[in-house]
């Protein structure tokens, strides 16, 4: 290493320290984003830049089209009544996503922060900046803006309603992130872990009680978002800006207060030990009897890899409950329930399936030394991904059936077909991504995610697009009556066969020694 390059290194002057104050929170976030972008090459960098630029274009296009769209009489009035509920649902989903760690909320991991010191304010700001990379957040935010534009119409006061809607989106995101830090801080104590579990159980029981007693409409009418929507509508119609100004000021004050609270909470949280990880990894384990087959032994290792991870445990718990509770509260019929399996399956894939072999971490090299064909490990991992999709989908469908009643034969077959087709789609896509584009991810802390934020945004967009299109297709088939039953069955078989073909091709690539070594060497780079 000391050959021709040494004189050039000697002639190069040493870098001088940069004078002045250290960068603030925004400067640190910009530097971290640049660091993330610098490691991307070729098409990956172009996709990341394009993905960031797409959201504003989509939002402006959706608002413009919604404002110009025609409105019917009774249907328009009914949808207008649902606007406060949509605002409330956005707030609830933002809080749930922040408290469960769904989607990941970090620009830099804890082990990387040892070399790149980041202030609590920068870490908090980074979590807020990466919120739009979550496809669920982006879709709901664009939907809220489009719904507001459609309700108001193309009037001179539309800007006031959109400004208040945007203020609500920003305020909910900041408050939800602060709530996420509260939950993480509480979880650093033994009593706090049980307190959070009891609070979640109480909230779930309350939601079930409201849904079963038929008081969903009454509860939604009492939502405080009705006042905000009324203020936005009044300002857009030119009836005065007093209520609009007061609402905007309230949201601004709430956002500023939540910002400072979030920074203070995160600073305290960074000084606390990671109790859940330590307890889970130091707990004594009882020795289990030997597995009857080699496949079951691999499945046992993979199941343990899933349940050792705090973000995966929380994500699996919330995977079927949240969509199912929303469906039960809204009283969807069975044709619309066909959309749920795809939604849950795409969420299950984003938990760890898009980078499935990262479950092993450094242990991936040890597993490679075990005897047996390599496809056995691949089969076990894809079975576990499928199990998560199936478990979440069943919970969501059962929860939605509480108010959907007894399905017709065509509706039941369509829901089952959507369940099978979307699960097969997600497993096949996750298998291909896991082998073609692996990442080193520890999946230990609550904020860990299986891939970088930009990659997760791309994965979520692709999964959401494919599963939603499939769900809409089965929704059409569910409303077609018994004459479409054979078509539904044949279409489901086609989806399953196509997914099986893709899995066989990925399994062949996994069996190749060079390809498998590249994947295992990459995921083994994760450090706890």
């Amino acid at each position: 290493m000391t050959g021709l390059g040494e004189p050039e290194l000697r002639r190069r002057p040493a870098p001088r320290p940069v004078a002045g104050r250290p960068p603030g929170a925004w400067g640190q976030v910009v530097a971290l984003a640049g660091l993330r972008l610098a490691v991307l090459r070729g098409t990956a960098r172009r996709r990341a830049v394009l993905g960031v630029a797409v959201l504003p274009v989509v939002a402006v296009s959706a608002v413009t089209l919604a404002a110009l769209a025609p409105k019917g009489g009774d249907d328009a009035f009914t949808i207008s009544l649902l606007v406060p509920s949509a605002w409330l649902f956005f707030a609830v989903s933002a809080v749930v996503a922040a408290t469960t760690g769904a989607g990941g909320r970090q620009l830099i991991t804890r082990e990387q922060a040892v070399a790149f010191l980041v202030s609590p304010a920068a870490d908090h700001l980074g979590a807020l900046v990466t919120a739009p990379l979550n496809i669920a957040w982006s879709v709901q935010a664009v939907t809220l803006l489009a719904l507001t534009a459609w309700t108001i119409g193309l009037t001179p006061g539309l800007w006031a309603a959109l400004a208040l809607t945007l203020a609500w989106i920003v305020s909910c995101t900041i408050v939800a992130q602060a709530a996420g830090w509260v939950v993480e801080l509480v979880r650093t104590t033994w009593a706090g872990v049980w307190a959070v579990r009891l609070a979640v159980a109480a909230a779930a029981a309350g939601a079930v009680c409201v849904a079963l007693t038929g008081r969903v409409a009454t509860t939604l009418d009492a939502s405080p978002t009705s006042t905000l929507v009324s203020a936005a509508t009044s300002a857009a119609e030119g009836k005065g800006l007093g209520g609009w100004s007061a609402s905007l000021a309230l949201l601004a004050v709430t956002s500023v207060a939540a910002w400072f609270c979030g920074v203070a909470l995160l600073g305290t949280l960074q000084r606390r030990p990671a109790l859940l990880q330590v307890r889970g990894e130091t707990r004594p384990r009882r020795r289990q009897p030997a597995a009857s087959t080699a496949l079951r032994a691999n499945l046992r290792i993979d199941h343990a890899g899933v349940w050792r991870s705090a973000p995966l445990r929380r994500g699996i718990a919330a995977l079927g409950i949240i969509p199912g509770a929303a469906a039960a509260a809204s009283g969807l019929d069975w044709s619309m329930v066909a959309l749920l399996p795809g939604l849950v399956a795409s969420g299950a894939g984003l938990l760890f399936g898009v980078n499935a072999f990262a479950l092993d971490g450094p242990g991936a090299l040890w597993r490679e030394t075990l005897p047996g064909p390599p496809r056995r490990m691949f089969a076990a991992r894809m079975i576990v991904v499928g199990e998560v999709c199936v478990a979440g989908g069943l919970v969501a469908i059962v929860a939605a059936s509480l108010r959907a009643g007894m399905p017709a034969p065509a509706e039941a077959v369509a829901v089952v077909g959507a369940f099978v087709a979307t699960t097969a789609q997600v497993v096949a896509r996750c298998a291909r991504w896991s082998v073609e584009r692996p990442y080193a991810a520890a999946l230990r802390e609550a904020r860990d995610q299986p891939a970088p934020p930009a990659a997760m945004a791309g994965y979520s967009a692709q999964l959401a697009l494919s599963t939603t299109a499939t769900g809409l297709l089965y929704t059409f088939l569910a409303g077609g009556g018994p004459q479409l039953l054979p078509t539904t069955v044949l279409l489901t078989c086609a989806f399953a066969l196509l997914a099986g073909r893709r899995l066989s091709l990925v399994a062949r690539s996994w069996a190749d020694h060079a390809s498998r070594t590249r994947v295992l060497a990459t995921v083994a780079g994760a450090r706890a």
Side-chain angles (χ1 to χ4, degrees), residues 4-273:
L4 298 176
E6 186 174 353
E8 298 181 2
L9 292 177
R10 289 178 179 176
R11 288 194 300 266
R12 182 175 301 173
R16 296 181 179 180
V18 180
R21 299 177 57 184
W26 181 252
Q28 296 178 44
V29 169
V30 171
L32 289 176
L35 182 64
R36 287 286 192 184
L37 188 62
V39 300
L40 301 178
R41 294 291 184 270
T43 58
R45 176 177 294 188
R46 291 193 291 269
R47 286 198 303 265
V49 174
L50 180 62
V52 173
V54 155
L55 182 59
V57 176
V58 171
V60 172
S61 302
V63 168
T64 304
L65 293 176
L68 297 174
K71 294 187 293 184
D74 296 337
D75 293 338
F77 178 74
T78 303
I79 295 176
S80 299
L81 294 178
L82 297 178
V83 175
S85 301
W87 283 41
L88 179 63
F89 183 75
F90 178 83
V92 173
S93 61
V95 171
V96 171
T99 53
T100 59
R105 317 184 299 277
Q106 60 182 349
L107 280 173
I108 188 169
T109 59
R110 176 174 292 187
E111 61 271 14
Q112 292 172 341
V114 175
F116 303 96
L117 298 180
V118 178
S119 65
D123 201 358
H124 184 49
L125 181 60
L128 298 176
V129 170
T130 55
L133 296 179
N134 188 337
I135 192 64
W137 185 97
S138 301
V139 169
Q140 292 183 71
V142 173
T143 302
L144 278 187
L145 293 171
L147 186 59
T148 301
W150 183 83
T151 304
I152 302 300
L154 192 61
T155 61
L158 177 60
W159 68 270
L162 292 176
L164 192 59
T165 305
L166 188 60
W168 171 257
I169 292 172
V170 173
S171 181
C172 288
T173 305
I174 299 176
V175 171
Q177 193 57 60
W181 302 139
V182 170
V183 173
E184 291 303 318
L185 188 60
V186 170
R187 283 180 177 271
T188 57
T189 64
W190 181 86
V193 173
W194 284 101
V196 171
R197 292 174 181 174
L198 291 176
V200 171
V208 171
C209 180
V210 169
L212 293 180
T213 55
R215 292 184 293 178
V216 176
T218 304
T219 304
L220 292 178
D221 290 339
S223 168
T225 55
S226 301
T227 304
L228 296 174
V229 174
S230 299
T233 305
S234 299
E237 295 175 352
K239 297 180 181 179
L241 296 177
W244 177 85
S245 302
S247 300
L248 191 62
L250 177 62
L251 292 177
V253 171
T254 303
S255 300
V256 173
W259 162 262
F260 286 105
C261 288
V263 173
L265 290 168
L266 181 56
T268 306
L269 178 62
Q270 290 178 345
R271 296 188 294 269
R272 298 285 297 172

Side-chain angles (χ1 to χ4, degrees), residues 12 103 209 307 422 429:
R12 182 175 301 173
C209 180
W307 289 112
T422 53
R429 285 179 177 268

Side-chain angles (χ1 to χ4, degrees), residues 430-443:
C430 289
R432 180 170 62 87
W433 289 332
S434 298
V435 175
E436 291 182 356
R437 286 176 279 177
Y439 297 95
L443 295 178

